[in-house]
Amino acid sequence: MSSSTGTTGTTTVITNIATLVTNDPSLGDCSPLGLVRDAAVVIEGDRVVWTGESSKAPATDNRVDAGGRAVLPGFVDSHSHLVFAGDRTEEFNARMSGRGYTAGGIRTTVAATRAATDAELEANLTRLLSEALRQGTTTFETKSGYGLTVADEARALRLAAAHTDEVTYLGAHIVSPDYADDPAGYVALVTGEMLDACAPHARWIDVFCEKGAFDGDQARAILTAGRAKGLHPRIHANQLSHGPGVQLAVELDAASADHCTHLTDADVDALANGDTVATLLPGAEFSTRAQWPDARRLLDAGVTVALSTDCNPGSSFTSSVPFCIALAVRDMGMTPGEAVWSATAGGAAALRRTDVGRVAPGAYADLTLLDAPSHVHLAYRPGVPLVSGVWRRGVRVV
């Protein structure tokens, strides 16, 4: 057997799947999830080459019995901050205990990250990646943003690029403490020497467009400079307050506007009429006791929604997409099916990828096997380690 992608190699069928989420309506029940009951998947090399009912599966070299459990695409975590050192346990403890805390937030992590060796940063990165993989994440994006010097931002991206193609330059996370009295000078650095050093290691450019970080004019200048260097925009938008971030994202054809908590009707309309994905990050609201994003409002307007962890040491220190799915269903108005779609196909859309986030011929064989008969159990049984198998690029890794 060989596929249209030209893949050749050993073939494996995973059969006796109670419920298969394909995210291809043409392959299943015509829903967005493209559900197939009593299903099978055939893998050849690193790709999916066939899906359908178990009874119709072609002959293969190897056979795996799913045991009447569910299979879905590997999760696509399209927003994380994994290159850092230290943690912010004390800050979290103070926040959850109702006490004020003045340790400087992101600046605390910046100091620890600058002081860390490359080996220390990479060890923490790989630890978090392994943790995420065990929970079903097979594709992830990660950002710089905790160095805020030319050398530290460039090394963060270089380390990240050894582990993923989805690398984002976030020199514009906050104004560097070194430029506290000269934000214009820092924007010049981010769009000049720092961009030159970082662009070769990144695919994306991001900016935190928010009061206390970068305003709309600064964000436009930063994203436009990145685009001129071949980096595609994404943006931290409308997380803490209403602001220009979402409108700017749509104007610049950003792949995603991330957080999207405080939105006007005009913001929702802009997202619905553009190609920018709204990426929701409920771990941040959970960890800060902030207002939940209204996913229902976005979905009902026809906006494409992604769901991601925002894994970072300050505001969302979770690598668990299943946890975020449960939060989205419980507190953001999503159905279990919508949340699973947003954590797989939605994440792929936020990275402008069609080769991940679905189980269909030609896609990478990135699969998650649940110890449950249905994807609904991800929200139905929150906090339970349901992921019992993971395939990445056709190889079983969990």
Side-chain angles (χ1 to χ4, degrees):
M1 178 184 290
S2 63
S3 73
S4 59
T5 63
T7 298
T8 57
T10 302
T11 56
T12 300
V13 63
I14 305 171
T15 189
N16 194 17
I17 300 168
T19 311
L20 173 66
V21 174
T22 68
N23 287 336
D24 185 337
S26 72
L27 296 178
D29 63 354
C30 299
S31 74
L33 290 183
L35 296 178
V36 183
R37 312 285 180 182
D38 188 19
V41 176
V42 177
I43 300 168
E44 183 176 1
D46 62 359
R47 302 277 176 163
V48 173
V49 293
W50 185 91
T51 65
E53 296 175 12
S54 272
S55 61
K56 299 176 182 176
T60 57
D61 300 313
N62 302 306
R63 182 177 182 274
V64 176
D65 189 335
R69 292 176 287 180
V71 170
L72 57 154
F75 299 123
V76 180
D77 192 347
S78 60
H79 182 129
S80 73
H81 305 251
L82 302 183
V83 185
F84 66 89
D87 76 10
R88 283 157 50 194
T89 306
E90 292 181 28
E91 176 185 329
F92 177 80
N93 190 45
R95 193 164 61 232
M96 293 298 109
S97 303
R99 301 193 302 273
Y101 192 78
T102 56
I106 290 171
R107 291 172 183 81
T108 304
T109 303
V110 169
T113 302
R114 288 179 177 180
T117 65
D118 287 14
E120 289 167 338
L121 290 177
E122 188 157 31
N124 193 49
L125 170 65
T126 55
R127 178 180 66 84
L128 291 169
L129 292 181
S130 176
E131 189 178 273
L133 186 65
R134 293 194 302 271
Q135 298 172 91
T137 297
T138 52
T139 300
F140 74 96
E141 177 270 2
T142 199
K143 310 175 193 295
S144 65
Y146 291 123
L148 309 185
T149 67
V150 173
D152 284 305
E153 287 294 292
R155 76 164 175 160
L157 296 173
R158 176 173 48 78
L159 292 169
H163 299 275
T164 181
D165 295 331
E166 305 299 344
V167 179
T168 301
Y169 165 47
L170 182 60
H173 199 178
I174 57 167
V175 173
S176 168
D178 311 321
Y179 285 79
D181 298 323
D182 185 17
Y186 187 64
V187 171
L189 181 69
V190 167
T191 57
E193 183 186 355
M194 189 183 286
L195 174 61
D196 291 342
C198 290
H201 306 294
R203 180 183 179 200
W204 307 98
I205 185 167
D206 197 346
V207 59
F208 188 17
C209 183
E210 189 67 62
K211 292 172 185 172
F214 298 89
D215 65 23
D217 290 341
Q218 292 169 324
R220 178 182 281 102
I222 290 163
L223 295 178
T224 301
R227 201 164 57 174
K229 281 283 188 179
L231 304 181
H232 202 86
R234 3 183 27 86
I235 187 166
H236 284 62
N238 302 55
Q239 177 185 2
L240 306 176
S241 60
H242 294 284
V246 164
Q247 297 286 344
L248 181 62
V250 176
E251 173 194 329
L252 296 180
D253 187 37
S256 66
D258 297 38
H259 289 289
C260 292
T261 306
H262 298 274
L263 302 179
T264 64
D265 289 344
D267 292 332
V268 176
D269 288 345
L271 288 165
N273 291 308
D275 294 324
T276 298
V277 173
T279 300
L280 306 183
L281 308 164
E285 282 71 37
F286 178 88
S287 297
T288 59
R289 290 182 176 149
Q291 174 185 324
W292 298 102
D294 188 348
R296 184 81 266 136
R297 179 186 182 195
L298 291 164
L299 291 165
D300 288 348
V303 176
T304 300
V305 171
L307 199 57
S308 183
T309 64
D310 191 21
C311 185
N312 76 83
S315 60
S316 184
F317 202 9
T318 180
S319 58
S320 175
V321 173
F323 173 67
C324 293
I325 288 171
L327 291 180
V329 172
R330 168 65 177 79
D331 291 305
M332 286 162 43
M334 300 182 91
T335 68
E338 288 167 342
V340 166
W341 189 95
S342 293
T344 52
L351 297 174
R352 299 207 163 160
R353 297 275 296 270
T354 58
D355 56 351
V356 295
R358 61 194 184 97
V359 182
Y364 280 116
D366 293 350
L367 310 171
T368 295
L369 173 68
L370 299 183
D371 191 13
S374 166
H375 63 278
V376 177
H377 283 237
L378 288 164
Y380 179 41
R381 304 197 67 210
V384 177
L386 292 179
V387 174
S388 60
V390 179
W391 285 258
R392 189 169 187 279
R393 303 274 170 110
V395 176
R396 188 164 187 172
V397 289
V398 174

